Amino acid sequence: NAGVTQTPKFQVLKTGQSMTLQCAQDMNHNSMYWYRQDPGMGLRLIYYSASEGTTDKGEVPNGYNVSRLNKREFSLRLESAAPSQTSVYFCASGGQTYTGELFFGEGSRLTVL
Amino acid sequence: EDQVTQSPEALRLQEGESSSLNCSYTVSGLRGLFWYRQDPGKGPEFLFTLYSAGEEKEKERLKATLTKKESFLHITAPKPEDSATYLCAVQVRGAGNMLTFGGGTRLMVKP
C-alpha cells in the first residue's frame, strides 16, 4: 500500500524556470492538499481540493497553480520559479469524513537558484 | 487572525525523563485540534484528534489533552525512538478543510 506518492523527491531550478510536482494517492480519498514547509514557519497550505473537480486557495497560493487531474492525482505547478519558493513541498490526502487525519507524502525538496 | 504557537521550539530529555509540549491557539471557533509526529526527511504522521475541552487521548507513552486555549502533549518515560518533531494543527469552523499548523517542537531524547 503506497499511500501518498510524490515526485520528484529533489529538484534544482533556476529563477524563471517552470516545473510541476506530481502527487498520487491510492486510498480513495476525496480531499487532497499541497503544503510547503520552511524552517521556523511550520506547514503552510498552498492549495487544496475538497473533491474531484474543485480546487481552492490556501494561505500562500501566489506563484502556484494546481490541477486535480482525477480522484487520485493532484499536481502543483510553478510557472516562473523564484528563490522564495525554495522549500520542502508536501502533498497530503484526507478521507471523506474529515477528522483532521491527513496522510502525507515524503516531500519534494525544491531549490531555486 | 487564527494563530497556533508551540513551545518550546526544542526540548532535550534524558531517556525516562517525562515532560510536556505545549500548543496554544487563538482561533475564532475551534472545530478540532490535531497532533502529528514528523521524523527527519519524512512527512508528518497523524497521532491524535481532540474536539472539546477536557478531552484526552493516549497512545503508548503519549497523552494529549485539550483546554479552551491550549493543548498539551505529555510524554511519559520517553525513549530515544520518541525523538521527532511534534506538530499541532487546528481546524477552524467555517474554514472548510483547512488546517493551520504551529511551528513544531523538536524533541531529542538521549539514552
Side-chain angles (χ1 to χ4, degrees):
Chain A
N1 187 353
V4 178
T5 304
Q6 293 180 230
T7 57
K9 286 186 167 42
F10 300 94
Q11 184 72 50
V12 179
L13 292 177
K14 294 181 179 178
T15 296
Q17 288 185 318
S18 62
M19 77 158 298
T20 299
L21 299 177
Q22 306 284 356
C23 175
Q25 53 94 5
D26 62 4
M27 294 171 283
N28 201 36
H29 287 162
N30 284 319
S31 59
M32 297 186 73
Y33 309 80
W34 277 105
Y35 284 88
R36 61 178 288 174
Q37 187 173 38
D38 303 292
M41 301 290 288
L43 282 158
R44 293 181 292 169
L45 183 64
I46 305 170
Y47 270 94
Y48 68 100
S49 171
S51 60
E52 185 178 355
T54 68
T55 60
D56 286 287
K57 295 179 180 179
E59 183 184 353
V60 288
N62 291 344
Y64 305 95
N65 285 302
V66 291
S67 295
R68 183 73 183 266
L69 304 171
N70 47 55
K71 192 171 185 178
R72 291 186 64 248
E73 299 173 287
F74 188 39
S75 63
L76 178 72
R77 183 162 178 83
L78 287 70
E79 291 290 352
S80 179
S84 61
Q85 294 178 306
T86 293
S87 187
V88 181
Y89 292 85
F90 288 98
C91 177
S93 70
Q96 185 173 5
T97 302
Y98 188 64
T99 63
E101 182 176 0
L102 299 185
F103 294 82
F104 284 82
E106 296 211 333
S108 299
R109 184 174 296 274
L110 175 65
T111 301
V112 183
L113 302 176
Chain B
E1 183 181 336
D2 301 323
Q3 285 193 330
V4 181
T5 304
Q6 292 188 246
S7 61
E9 289 187 8
L11 180 63
R12 292 175 183 264
L13 298 174
Q14 288 296 130
E15 184 172 1
E17 179 186 3
S18 301
S19 188
S20 295
L21 313 182
N22 177 264
C23 172
S24 63
Y25 59 91
T26 306
V27 299
S28 52
L30 183 70
R31 181 175 174 182
L33 186 141
F34 316 99
W35 282 96
Y36 283 80
R37 170 190 170 128
Q38 185 175 23
D39 293 304
K42 302 289 187 182
E45 180 182 346
F46 174 79
L47 290 173
F48 302 112
T49 303
L50 300 165
Y51 289 113
S52 56
E55 189 173 359
E56 298 183 352
K57 294 278 179 69
E58 285 189 67
K59 181 180 181 179
E60 296 181 354
R61 294 175 294 281
L62 301 176
K63 183 169 80 172
T65 62
L66 181 65
T67 72
K68 289 187 176 180
K69 293 184 178 181
E70 57 192 349
S71 177
F72 293 94
L73 185 65
H74 308 277
I75 304 177
T76 302
K79 298 182 178 182
E81 54 262 42
D82 294 322
S83 297
T85 295
Y86 291 86
L87 303 167
C88 77
V90 299
Q91 188 189 19
V92 179
R93 296 185 193 281
N97 290 333
M98 293 175 58
L99 291 185
T100 301
F101 280 84
T105 294
R106 185 160 54 94
L107 174 67
M108 294 153 282
V109 182
K110 295 196 170 185

